[in-house]
Amino acid sequence: MAFHKRNLARGEISHRDKSNRRRLNQFLQLKFSLRFQKLKGDGHATYTPRDNRQVSRAVLTRCDLSKDKVLQSYVTVCSNSLYKQLWERTDLPLFDHIELVLDIVQERPGFLDCRYYFVDHSREAVFWLCEYRPSQIYYYVKGVQAEDHIRLAIEAQYWLHCELFPPDDVDMNVCQSLRETLLHSLAEVTLSESALAPFTATELQQMLELTTKIVESRENIHSSTIQGPGLYVIARMKHIFTRMKFINFHGQVGARLNADQSLYVKENNDVQCTSHWFHVVNMILLSAPHDQLEDLKSLWVDHTINLPRWRKFVTMQTSDLAGFSIYSTVMLTVNVGFLAIPGVINSNQLQTATPMMIPIYISTMCSVGSLASALLLSRQSRGQSNQTADEAAAYMLECAPSKTHMEFLAVVYSLPISLIMWGMIAFVVALCITVFSLRGVKMQTPMAFCFALVTSMALSPVLWRWQRQHAVLDRRSRRRLSWPYAYS
């Protein structure tokens, strides 16, 4: 709603588009459909026969009206006009407790914009009188179609409003449903490794105790409503868990039941399949990017962040980077000491390179590269364990908005361990050249046997991992083949 300052003196407000009158859309009809009304025992919706215009109205705003009288007149004119339009609507149900929230902003010179929304406390909903696209409150969730699913998005906005503008009181039944939600989340976190709850068991236990104390404090004075500062706490927790229900498609077919589950069907060329360049880089970096990519996929499911998993991921990354820094420092010291061995570097004036110098120099450069990448990643991840879910999601959305960006991020996270592994391989090559360059069968035979034995033992984890991967793939293929026979 836009208006010119001159028209305020006469109380005139005009819509931006007079030729195209905005109508009540399906979003507004949805919030006031019969399924959200209070029902009798026979299941039919009933309405109290009274006039809507006699309902007490309230106006809330963030504008400072204590000194600016002109702004106060703006708010008065806008609120009167909006309430007048609301009472003239005959297609809306009766309201028991309604509020209007206004915000006056100036986007164009000489014109003021009035942003608003209505709040219906009896139905726990927010609504507008004009056409509105509810996709703006979907938190980037795709595939929202069911009416009861949209209802969760509206309810989340209602509790956000109660968090910002706490009402006079809230029914005690709200606290009871909140306690049941907290108990369910606490049991899920305790019994499942892929829980959907955005908090740890300790945090959920503290929230449950806080809710119980708020209820007991009101019961001690024989009150059936929640009032005071405790109402803000209840509204904040209700907003978080209602938003979590909406994001996880609570009550819908194919709802997310664990943190690893994706709600959307992936095509053959989607995120489940890696690109050709990633396969090449993965082989060059000794399969380290593949492990990082699997961790990122389990962390960034459907572009959503589970906060306990994010903190665990950041903690593990910080610990691994600290270890890689130590390994790189040790490897760098070993390489420098190896170069000091007589015979590794020629002492003549030409300084011709010996066969041992090339792999040692390669190992030294890989150690320096691993140390530098580990330090840079450690600096970047500093403080990420204390981020909120929104901050973590914004970071992942910036770094990995697509499959290609996620693969690149996996390659970056795998650089410290890949470079230190290549440094070790180059050092082993230099050591073998030094050992097997010595003449004599008595020297070369036991060293060759020892080298083969140590190499086989060092590569045994790799061989065991390949065997385990093939076994998992065989089980999946057998499960797919035996699936139709289970229903025959």
Side-chain angles (χ1 to χ4, degrees):
M1 178 181 297
F3 51 91
H4 199 274
K5 296 181 180 179
R6 298 176 181 175
N7 298 333
L8 288 172
R10 300 189 301 270
E12 299 176 359
I13 300 179
S14 60
H15 288 276
R16 290 180 177 177
D17 190 0
K18 293 184 178 180
S19 61
N20 185 14
R21 292 288 183 181
R22 295 180 176 178
R23 65 185 185 281
L24 183 67
N25 63 346
Q26 296 180 355
F27 179 70
L28 183 56
Q29 295 175 359
L30 167 65
K31 292 193 298 296
F32 300 114
S33 60
L34 295 182
R35 69 168 59 207
F36 302 131
Q37 307 296 329
K38 297 180 180 179
L39 302 180
K40 283 184 176 181
D42 54 0
H44 295 286
T46 59
Y47 299 94
T48 304
R50 58 178 175 79
D51 189 2
N52 257 339
R53 293 177 175 81
Q54 297 180 358
V55 178
S56 61
R57 64 183 189 180
V59 180
L60 302 175
T61 181
R62 297 184 300 176
C63 302
D64 187 6
L65 306 180
S66 59
K67 299 180 180 180
D68 195 341
K69 299 297 182 181
V70 178
L71 185 61
Q72 184 176 359
S73 64
Y74 294 170
V75 173
T76 303
V77 171
C78 291
S79 60
N80 292 335
S81 175
L82 289 172
Y83 269 114
K84 181 180 178 181
Q85 296 180 38
L86 178 64
W87 304 143
E88 292 175 353
R89 300 293 292 267
T90 59
D91 52 351
L92 298 181
L94 299 178
F95 302 105
D96 295 329
H97 187 188
I98 191 171
E99 292 178 348
L100 172 63
V101 182
L102 289 176
D103 190 16
I104 307 297
V105 296
Q106 184 173 359
E107 295 183 348
R108 295 179 297 172
F111 283 85
L112 297 175
D113 285 342
C114 176
R115 299 175 180 177
Y116 77 96
Y117 63 88
F118 284 98
V119 181
D120 185 4
H121 290 281
S122 61
R123 299 175 179 86
E124 297 181 356
V126 298
F127 65 95
W128 296 262
L129 298 178
C130 58
E131 186 175 358
Y132 181 79
R133 295 182 180 179
S135 58
Q136 300 179 12
I137 60 174
Y138 285 173
Y139 308 106
Y140 302 100
V141 176
K142 300 180 181 179
V144 180
Q145 296 179 353
E147 294 181 357
D148 51 349
H149 193 198
I150 301 176
R151 167 67 185 176
L152 288 176
I154 302 172
E155 185 179 351
Q157 295 298 314
Y158 167 78
W159 289 115
L160 178 60
H161 163 78
C162 293
E163 180 182 347
L164 299 175
F165 303 96
D168 295 334
D169 53 18
V170 171
D171 192 82
M172 192 73 73
N173 295 328
V174 174
C175 295
Q176 182 61 29
S177 64
L178 178 60
R179 285 198 293 184
E180 294 176 355
T181 302
L182 290 172
L183 285 173
H184 177 271
S185 300
L186 182 60
E188 183 186 20
V189 170
T190 305
L191 301 175
S192 176
E193 296 181 356
S194 57
L196 291 172
F199 302 100
T200 62
T202 304
E203 293 171 341
L204 289 172
Q205 184 66 37
Q206 293 175 352
M207 296 168 68
L208 182 60
E209 293 176 357
L210 181 60
T211 305
T212 303
K213 290 180 179 179
I214 292 175
V215 174
E216 291 177 351
S217 64
R218 301 303 299 176
E219 290 178 348
N220 292 335
I221 59 176
H222 305 287
S223 177
S224 61
T225 59
I226 302 297
Q227 298 177 352
L231 198 151
Y232 161 79
V233 178
I234 298 299
R236 182 170 180 81
M237 287 190 286
K238 286 289 292 185
H239 171 242
I240 293 175
F241 284 99
T242 305
R243 178 182 176 182
M244 184 190 70
K245 290 181 180 180
F246 172 76
I247 294 175
N248 295 321
F249 282 67
H250 173 77
Q252 306 302 314
V253 177
R256 183 181 288 112
L257 302 180
N258 55 77
D260 298 326
Q261 178 184 351
S262 177
L263 299 177
Y264 307 104
V265 178
K266 301 294 189 301
E267 301 294 339
N268 293 331
N269 57 349
D270 208 342
V271 71
Q272 299 296 333
C273 301
T274 54
S275 57
H276 296 290
W277 76 269
F278 183 78
H279 282 291
V280 176
V281 176
N282 184 56
M283 290 187 293
I284 295 175
L285 298 181
L286 305 177
S287 191
H290 179 268
D291 298 337
Q292 293 290 339
L293 183 62
E294 292 299 323
D295 293 340
L296 290 175
K297 284 182 179 180
S298 63
L299 180 70
W300 191 228
V301 179
D302 294 338
H303 286 191
T304 58
I305 283 289
N306 185 274
L307 192 56
R309 283 198 166 196
W310 169 257
R311 293 174 179 174
K312 183 179 179 180
F313 173 79
V314 173
T315 303
M316 291 181 59
Q317 286 290 333
T318 304
S319 177
D320 292 341
L321 292 174
F324 296 150
S325 300
I326 297 175
Y327 300 151
S328 302
T329 305
V330 173
M331 200 67 205
L332 186 60
T333 305
V334 171
N335 290 328
V336 174
F338 193 87
L339 290 174
I341 298 176
V344 176
I345 298 179
N346 292 331
S347 58
N348 56 12
Q349 297 181 352
L350 297 178
Q351 288 290 326
T352 58
T354 60
M356 292 80 73
M357 292 175 56
I358 298 177
I360 284 296
Y361 285 152
I362 294 176
S363 178
T364 303
M365 289 187 292
C366 291
S367 301
V368 173
S370 176
L371 180 60
S373 59
L375 292 177
L376 291 176
L377 289 175
S378 298
R379 181 181 177 182
Q380 182 180 358
S381 61
R382 185 181 303 169
Q384 287 184 339
S385 59
N386 299 325
Q387 286 182 335
T388 62
D390 293 336
E391 293 173 347
Y395 171 79
M396 288 298 299
L397 191 62
E398 179 182 359
C399 297
S402 62
K403 178 188 68 174
T404 304
H405 290 82
M406 182 177 292
E407 292 173 351
F408 180 77
L409 186 62
V411 171
V412 171
Y413 277 132
S414 64
L415 285 178
I417 185 174
S418 300
L419 291 176
I420 194 62
M421 289 173 65
W422 273 116
M424 291 182 179
I425 293 175
F427 177 79
V428 171
V429 171
L431 183 62
C432 292
I433 294 176
T434 304
V435 172
F436 290 106
S437 62
L438 300 177
R439 299 180 181 179
V441 180
K442 295 182 179 180
M443 181 65 181
Q444 293 182 354
T445 301
M447 294 306 300
F449 175 77
C450 182
F451 176 77
L453 182 62
V454 172
T455 302
S456 61
M457 289 190 296
L459 295 179
S460 58
V462 179
L463 299 176
W464 175 79
R465 178 182 177 182
W466 285 350
Q467 184 180 3
R468 184 169 174 267
Q469 288 179 349
H470 286 298
V472 172
L473 292 176
D474 291 341
R475 274 199 305 270
R476 290 179 180 177
S477 61
R478 292 174 184 175
R479 192 176 302 171
R480 285 195 297 266
L481 292 175
S482 61
W483 180 263
Y485 297 99
Y487 295 92
S488 60

